[in-house]
Amino acid sequence: MFAVPQLDAIGFDRDSELLLVLSRDGRGVIDCATGEKIARKSGTQHDAKPTHLLQAKGIGPLEHTDIVIAGRKGGGLPRATHDGWSLELVTLEWPTQEVLLVPPGSALFVCHEDEDARFVRIESDPEIHACGFSYSGDSLVIAAGDDLTIYHRG
C-alpha cells in the first residue's frame, strides 16, 4: 500500500505493469510487478493533459505515452481478466463501497438456487476513486482516499 496525498487518478500502460499515478502534487510511476517507484515529477506540469479528458501524459519510462486514467473525475480501468477474474464495486451501506473479487466461472448476481455467490471482499471504503486490473490481468489496483493498494500475481 502506498500513501498518496491528494490522489486524483491512476492509469496503466497497455504494454507493461507500469502504473501512472496522478495527485495534486505531481505524477509518479510505479512498477506493480515489483512495487518499486520508478519515476516522480512534482508540481503542476505544463505538458500534462487536463484530467477531465481522462488521459494523462506519462513520465519517466512512459514519457512518450498517453495513459487512459480513472479517478475522481471518472474513467475506468479493466474490470475483468483474460482468465475470468472480475471485480464488482457495490454499495451495501451508503456511503461505503465494497470492492469484490469474483473468481472465474462465478457471477456475483447470477447464481443457482442451490449455490452461494462466490467472491472475496478486498476493500471497503467510502472514497473509492478507481479500481481495476492491468491490461495483462496480472496486477490489481484500488485507489481509495489517499491510499493506493496494489496486488500482483506472477
Side-chain angles (χ1 to χ4, degrees):
M1 180 181 291
F2 293 89
V4 183
Q6 301 180 25
L7 177 62
D8 275 335
I10 55 176
F12 276 104
D13 176 42
R14 288 190 178 269
D15 300 320
S16 69
E17 298 303 301
L18 298 181
L19 180 72
L20 180 66
V21 179
L22 289 82
S23 74
R24 294 195 184 121
D25 293 333
R27 294 177 285 164
V29 175
I30 297 172
D31 183 340
C32 292
T34 65
E36 181 182 358
K37 294 178 187 177
I38 302 289
R40 176 85 174 109
K41 200 169 194 179
S42 297
T44 305
Q45 306 302 321
H46 297 292
D47 59 345
K49 294 182 176 211
T51 56
H52 74 277
L53 298 178
L54 304 177
Q55 281 191 338
K57 194 71 141 161
I59 62 167
L62 301 176
E63 185 174 355
H64 301 290
T65 308
D66 288 334
I67 303 292
V68 175
I69 58 172
R72 293 179 190 264
K73 295 181 182 175
L77 299 173
R79 291 276 181 94
T81 66
H82 59 87
D83 58 350
W85 289 90
S86 64
L87 288 177
E88 295 287 348
L89 188 60
V90 298
T91 304
L92 300 174
E93 284 189 45
W94 187 87
T96 301
Q97 293 180 296
E98 315 287 335
V99 179
L100 308 177
L101 180 62
V102 181
S106 185
L108 184 63
F109 299 108
V110 179
C111 57
H112 299 290
E113 189 174 307
D114 59 341
E115 56 181 67
D116 294 328
R118 294 182 300 145
F119 62 89
V120 176
R121 182 182 320 194
I122 56 175
E123 184 74 45
S124 181
D125 196 287
E127 285 190 75
I128 295 177
H129 308 305
C131 63
F133 294 100
S134 62
Y135 292 96
S136 71
D138 290 337
S139 296
L140 165 62
V141 296
I142 302 168
D146 289 343
D147 293 325
L148 179 64
T149 304
I150 299 172
Y151 300 92
H152 180 77
R153 63 178 175 171

